[in-house]
Amino acid sequence: MSIMSFSDIEDPVLLSPSQLVSSSKLSKNLGAYLEKIKKRPVFITREQEVEAVLINIDDYRELLLEEQRVEELYYAVLALRRLVEHFKSPKALVDTDDVLKRFGLTREEVEGVPDDAVDG
């Protein structure tokens, strides 16, 4: 059984010729292309190969939010899988209070930690 790589599937990027610009043309006309990206991304080519994409900041922020949503969904699925495995397994889970005691913590101390301090 082989693992499918990105090169084995069709490129999901759909673009029109009007969205292509060479890196040299982009450097000479950056202002014009900054206006164009307000409507749609611009794909930057070098030696007739697409090397990069220029998108507006709002689209970039949306991509970052979508990435965060996907990551949160992944962790939710992982947690559910572990929960299912727990119910299928005769092993007992470690009690939260036992873990806190081992590290010399109390529930109150842990609940008082701001979320951003835990996220790193």
Side-chain angles (χ1 to χ4, degrees), residues 16 18 23 37 57 67 69 77 92 95-96 101 109 118-119:
S16 70
S18 66
S23 57
I37 64 168
I57 191 69
E67 179 184 40
R69 288 184 207 114
V77 169
D95 185 60
T96 303
K101 183 178 178 181
E109 290 172 320
V118 175
D119 292 336

Short mmCIF file of all heavy atoms in Angstrom, two decimals, residues 16 18 23 37 57 67 69 77 92 95-96 101 109 118-119:
data_model
loop_
_atom_site.label_atom_id
_atom_site.label_comp_id
_atom_site.label_asym_id
_atom_site.label_seq_id
_atom_site.Cartn_x
_atom_site.Cartn_y
_atom_site.Cartn_z
N SER A 16 -6.89 31.92 -13.40
CA SER A 16 -7.01 32.38 -14.79
C SER A 16 -5.70 33.04 -15.18
O SER A 16 -4.93 33.49 -14.33
CB SER A 16 -8.17 33.36 -14.91
OG SER A 16 -7.86 34.57 -14.27
N SER A 18 -5.17 35.89 -16.19
CA SER A 18 -5.09 37.28 -15.69
C SER A 18 -4.56 37.35 -14.26
O SER A 18 -4.18 38.41 -13.79
CB SER A 18 -6.46 37.95 -15.77
OG SER A 18 -7.36 37.32 -14.87
N SER A 23 7.66 37.49 -11.55
CA SER A 23 8.24 38.18 -10.39
C SER A 23 8.86 39.51 -10.81
O SER A 23 8.76 40.50 -10.07
CB SER A 23 9.26 37.29 -9.70
OG SER A 23 10.27 36.89 -10.60
N ILE A 37 -5.19 42.45 -5.87
CA ILE A 37 -5.43 41.41 -4.87
C ILE A 37 -6.61 41.72 -3.97
O ILE A 37 -7.04 40.86 -3.20
CB ILE A 37 -4.18 41.09 -4.03
CG1 ILE A 37 -3.76 42.29 -3.19
CG2 ILE A 37 -3.07 40.55 -4.89
CD1 ILE A 37 -2.73 41.97 -2.13
N ILE A 57 -4.74 40.95 2.96
CA ILE A 57 -4.58 40.62 4.38
C ILE A 57 -5.84 40.00 4.99
O ILE A 57 -5.75 39.12 5.83
CB ILE A 57 -4.10 41.86 5.19
CG1 ILE A 57 -3.66 41.47 6.60
CG2 ILE A 57 -5.17 42.93 5.20
CD1 ILE A 57 -2.39 40.67 6.63
N GLU A 67 -7.42 27.60 9.56
CA GLU A 67 -6.41 26.67 10.06
C GLU A 67 -6.63 26.38 11.54
O GLU A 67 -6.54 25.22 11.98
CB GLU A 67 -5.01 27.25 9.84
CG GLU A 67 -3.90 26.35 10.34
CD GLU A 67 -2.54 26.99 10.20
OE1 GLU A 67 -2.39 28.20 10.46
OE2 GLU A 67 -1.61 26.25 9.83
N ARG A 69 -9.51 26.57 13.14
CA ARG A 69 -10.72 25.75 13.26
C ARG A 69 -10.41 24.28 12.95
O ARG A 69 -10.90 23.38 13.64
CB ARG A 69 -11.81 26.26 12.31
CG ARG A 69 -12.42 27.55 12.75
CD ARG A 69 -13.57 27.94 11.80
NE ARG A 69 -13.71 29.37 11.81
CZ ARG A 69 -13.49 30.17 10.77
NH1 ARG A 69 -13.17 29.68 9.60
NH2 ARG A 69 -13.62 31.47 10.88
N VAL A 77 -11.64 15.53 17.61
CA VAL A 77 -11.73 14.16 17.11
C VAL A 77 -10.77 13.26 17.88
O VAL A 77 -11.12 12.14 18.27
CB VAL A 77 -11.44 14.10 15.59
CG1 VAL A 77 -11.26 12.67 15.12
CG2 VAL A 77 -12.55 14.79 14.82
N ALA A 92 -8.35 1.53 34.00
CA ALA A 92 -8.90 2.73 34.63
C ALA A 92 -8.04 3.93 34.25
O ALA A 92 -6.83 3.82 34.08
CB ALA A 92 -8.93 2.57 36.14
N ASP A 95 -6.95 9.53 37.90
CA ASP A 95 -7.82 10.57 38.43
C ASP A 95 -7.13 11.93 38.36
O ASP A 95 -5.92 12.04 38.64
CB ASP A 95 -8.18 10.25 39.88
CG ASP A 95 -9.18 11.22 40.45
OD1 ASP A 95 -10.28 11.32 39.89
OD2 ASP A 95 -8.82 11.89 41.44
N THR A 96 -7.87 12.96 37.98
CA THR A 96 -7.33 14.31 37.87
C THR A 96 -6.68 14.77 39.16
O THR A 96 -5.59 15.35 39.17
CB THR A 96 -8.44 15.31 37.46
OG1 THR A 96 -9.02 14.86 36.24
CG2 THR A 96 -7.90 16.71 37.30
N LYS A 101 -2.05 16.28 42.50
CA LYS A 101 -1.31 16.03 43.74
C LYS A 101 0.14 15.69 43.43
O LYS A 101 1.06 16.18 44.08
CB LYS A 101 -1.98 14.89 44.51
CG LYS A 101 -1.33 14.60 45.84
CD LYS A 101 -2.08 13.50 46.57
CE LYS A 101 -1.41 13.18 47.89
NZ LYS A 101 -2.12 12.09 48.60
N GLU A 109 -5.56 26.44 41.82
CA GLU A 109 -4.39 27.01 41.14
C GLU A 109 -4.49 26.85 39.63
O GLU A 109 -4.18 27.75 38.87
CB GLU A 109 -3.11 26.35 41.65
CG GLU A 109 -2.75 26.71 43.07
CD GLU A 109 -1.60 25.88 43.60
OE1 GLU A 109 -1.53 24.66 43.32
OE2 GLU A 109 -0.74 26.47 44.28
N VAL A 118 -1.37 29.01 29.15
CA VAL A 118 -1.31 27.58 28.87
C VAL A 118 -0.99 27.35 27.39
O VAL A 118 -0.26 26.45 27.05
CB VAL A 118 -2.65 26.90 29.24
CG1 VAL A 118 -2.64 25.44 28.83
CG2 VAL A 118 -2.92 27.04 30.72
N ASP A 119 -1.53 28.19 26.49
CA ASP A 119 -1.34 28.00 25.05
C ASP A 119 0.09 28.22 24.63
O ASP A 119 0.49 27.77 23.58
CB ASP A 119 -2.26 28.95 24.26
CG ASP A 119 -3.71 28.57 24.44
OD1 ASP A 119 -3.97 27.39 24.74
OD2 ASP A 119 -4.59 29.44 24.26
#
